[in-house]
mmCIF file of all heavy atoms in Angstrom:
data_model
loop_
_atom_site.group_PDB
_atom_site.id
_atom_site.type_symbol
_atom_site.label_atom_id
_atom_site.label_comp_id
_atom_site.label_asym_id
_atom_site.label_seq_id
_atom_site.Cartn_x
_atom_site.Cartn_y
_atom_site.Cartn_z
ATOM 1 N N GLU B 292 136.817 91.021 96.755
ATOM 2 C CA GLU B 292 135.620 91.879 96.780
ATOM 3 C C GLU B 292 134.557 91.373 97.709
ATOM 4 O O GLU B 292 133.974 92.136 98.467
ATOM 5 C CB GLU B 292 135.045 91.987 95.354
ATOM 6 C CG GLU B 292 135.910 92.821 94.446
ATOM 7 C CD GLU B 292 135.255 93.134 93.122
ATOM 8 O OE1 GLU B 292 134.426 92.310 92.664
ATOM 9 O OE2 GLU B 292 135.540 94.187 92.559
ATOM 10 N N SER B 293 134.280 90.068 97.633
ATOM 11 C CA SER B 293 133.136 89.594 98.411
ATOM 12 C C SER B 293 133.429 88.364 99.249
ATOM 13 O O SER B 293 132.548 87.812 99.868
ATOM 14 C CB SER B 293 131.968 89.325 97.475
ATOM 15 O OG SER B 293 132.441 88.549 96.384
ATOM 16 N N GLY B 294 134.666 87.914 99.274
ATOM 17 C CA GLY B 294 134.989 86.772 100.144
ATOM 18 C C GLY B 294 134.672 85.459 99.467
ATOM 19 O O GLY B 294 134.903 85.262 98.300
ATOM 20 N N GLY B 295 134.089 84.580 100.272
ATOM 21 C CA GLY B 295 133.922 83.193 99.802
ATOM 22 C C GLY B 295 134.997 82.367 100.454
ATOM 23 O O GLY B 295 135.905 82.917 101.076
ATOM 24 N N TYR B 296 134.924 81.045 100.326
ATOM 25 C CA TYR B 296 135.847 80.108 100.992
ATOM 26 C C TYR B 296 135.824 80.326 102.506
ATOM 27 O O TYR B 296 136.822 80.114 103.175
ATOM 28 C CB TYR B 296 137.290 80.304 100.490
ATOM 29 C CG TYR B 296 137.444 80.334 98.994
ATOM 30 C CD1 TYR B 296 137.665 81.537 98.332
ATOM 31 C CD2 TYR B 296 137.408 79.164 98.241
ATOM 32 C CE1 TYR B 296 137.814 81.567 96.955
ATOM 33 C CE2 TYR B 296 137.535 79.187 96.854
ATOM 34 C CZ TYR B 296 137.750 80.410 96.222
ATOM 35 O OH TYR B 296 137.908 80.450 94.868
ATOM 36 N N GLY B 297 134.666 80.783 103.034
ATOM 37 C CA GLY B 297 134.537 81.005 104.472
ATOM 38 C C GLY B 297 134.912 82.390 104.930
ATOM 39 O O GLY B 297 134.869 82.706 106.117
ATOM 40 N N SER B 298 135.288 83.252 103.968
ATOM 41 C CA SER B 298 135.750 84.584 104.348
ATOM 42 C C SER B 298 134.746 85.644 103.982
ATOM 43 O O SER B 298 133.969 85.464 103.048
ATOM 44 C CB SER B 298 137.052 84.869 103.646
ATOM 45 O OG SER B 298 137.451 86.207 103.834
ATOM 46 N N ARG B 299 134.762 86.790 104.689
ATOM 47 C CA ARG B 299 133.864 87.863 104.250
ATOM 48 C C ARG B 299 134.556 88.821 103.277
ATOM 49 O O ARG B 299 133.955 89.758 102.792
ATOM 50 C CB ARG B 299 133.264 88.647 105.444
ATOM 51 C CG ARG B 299 134.210 89.196 106.474
ATOM 52 C CD ARG B 299 133.402 90.085 107.438
ATOM 53 N NE ARG B 299 134.111 90.352 108.656
ATOM 54 C CZ ARG B 299 133.725 91.247 109.555
ATOM 55 N NH1 ARG B 299 132.610 91.932 109.372
ATOM 56 N NH2 ARG B 299 134.400 91.417 110.675
ATOM 57 N N GLY B 300 135.844 88.586 102.975
ATOM 58 C CA GLY B 300 136.518 89.413 101.986
ATOM 59 C C GLY B 300 136.725 90.825 102.472
ATOM 60 O O GLY B 300 136.396 91.174 103.601
ATOM 61 N N TYR B 301 137.329 91.644 101.624
ATOM 62 C CA TYR B 301 137.627 93.017 102.014
ATOM 63 C C TYR B 301 136.516 94.006 101.680
ATOM 64 O O TYR B 301 136.536 95.136 102.137
ATOM 65 C CB TYR B 301 138.922 93.489 101.345
ATOM 66 C CG TYR B 301 140.172 92.831 101.849
ATOM 67 C CD1 TYR B 301 141.006 92.134 100.999
ATOM 68 C CD2 TYR B 301 140.541 92.920 103.187
ATOM 69 C CE1 TYR B 301 142.167 91.530 101.442
ATOM 70 C CE2 TYR B 301 141.701 92.331 103.641
ATOM 71 C CZ TYR B 301 142.515 91.640 102.765
ATOM 72 O OH TYR B 301 143.665 91.049 103.202
ATOM 73 N N GLU B 302 135.562 93.587 100.874
ATOM 74 C CA GLU B 302 134.442 94.442 100.501
ATOM 75 C C GLU B 302 134.894 95.770 99.903
ATOM 76 O O GLU B 302 134.562 96.849 100.388
ATOM 77 C CB GLU B 302 133.518 94.682 101.705
ATOM 78 C CG GLU B 302 132.789 93.441 102.161
ATOM 79 C CD GLU B 302 132.090 93.637 103.507
ATOM 80 O OE1 GLU B 302 131.084 94.356 103.533
ATOM 81 O OE2 GLU B 302 132.585 93.065 104.518
ATOM 82 N N TYR B 303 135.706 95.719 98.851
ATOM 83 C CA TYR B 303 136.025 96.936 98.126
ATOM 84 C C TYR B 303 136.027 96.572 96.645
ATOM 85 O O TYR B 303 135.899 95.411 96.285
ATOM 86 C CB TYR B 303 137.407 97.475 98.554
ATOM 87 C CG TYR B 303 138.622 96.696 98.051
ATOM 88 C CD1 TYR B 303 139.350 97.132 96.963
ATOM 89 C CD2 TYR B 303 139.009 95.516 98.697
ATOM 90 C CE1 TYR B 303 140.457 96.416 96.521
ATOM 91 C CE2 TYR B 303 140.099 94.808 98.247
ATOM 92 C CZ TYR B 303 140.834 95.253 97.162
ATOM 93 O OH TYR B 303 141.920 94.557 96.709
ATOM 94 N N ASP B 304 136.139 97.570 95.780
ATOM 95 C CA ASP B 304 136.112 97.290 94.341
ATOM 96 C C ASP B 304 137.534 96.982 93.850
ATOM 97 O O ASP B 304 138.388 97.841 93.832
ATOM 98 C CB ASP B 304 135.560 98.502 93.556
ATOM 99 C CG ASP B 304 134.075 98.675 93.806
ATOM 100 O OD1 ASP B 304 133.405 97.655 94.051
ATOM 101 O OD2 ASP B 304 133.596 99.830 93.804
ATOM 102 N N TRP B 305 137.731 95.721 93.430
ATOM 103 C CA TRP B 305 139.044 95.285 92.980
ATOM 104 C C TRP B 305 139.265 95.802 91.569
ATOM 105 O O TRP B 305 138.398 95.699 90.703
ATOM 106 C CB TRP B 305 139.101 93.763 93.011
ATOM 107 C CG TRP B 305 140.452 93.191 92.794
ATOM 108 C CD1 TRP B 305 141.422 93.017 93.719
ATOM 109 C CD2 TRP B 305 140.979 92.711 91.560
ATOM 110 N NE1 TRP B 305 142.530 92.435 93.145
ATOM 111 C CE2 TRP B 305 142.281 92.244 91.817
ATOM 112 C CE3 TRP B 305 140.499 92.603 90.250
ATOM 113 C CZ2 TRP B 305 143.091 91.680 90.833
ATOM 114 C CZ3 TRP B 305 141.312 92.064 89.278
ATOM 115 C CH2 TRP B 305 142.609 91.609 89.580
ATOM 116 N N ASN B 306 140.450 96.368 91.336
ATOM 117 C CA ASN B 306 140.718 97.034 90.056
ATOM 118 C C ASN B 306 141.800 96.255 89.295
ATOM 119 O O ASN B 306 142.919 96.118 89.766
ATOM 120 C CB ASN B 306 141.195 98.462 90.372
ATOM 121 C CG ASN B 306 141.386 99.287 89.143
ATOM 122 O OD1 ASN B 306 141.321 98.790 88.009
ATOM 123 N ND2 ASN B 306 141.608 100.575 89.330
ATOM 124 N N ARG B 307 141.483 95.771 88.110
ATOM 125 C CA ARG B 307 142.420 95.003 87.322
ATOM 126 C C ARG B 307 143.631 95.847 86.895
ATOM 127 O O ARG B 307 144.757 95.352 86.814
ATOM 128 C CB ARG B 307 141.699 94.429 86.096
ATOM 129 C CG ARG B 307 142.487 93.372 85.386
ATOM 130 C CD ARG B 307 141.974 93.174 83.972
ATOM 131 N NE ARG B 307 142.983 92.557 83.139
ATOM 132 C CZ ARG B 307 143.245 91.252 83.113
ATOM 133 N NH1 ARG B 307 142.556 90.428 83.878
ATOM 134 N NH2 ARG B 307 144.198 90.785 82.349
#
Side-chain angles (χ1 to χ4, degrees):
Chain B
E292 288 189 330
S293 48
Y296 311 104
S298 172
R299 53 172 163 170
Y301 290 122
E302 292 170 71
Y303 73 101
D304 290 329
W305 190 84
N306 186 351
R307 194 199 159 81

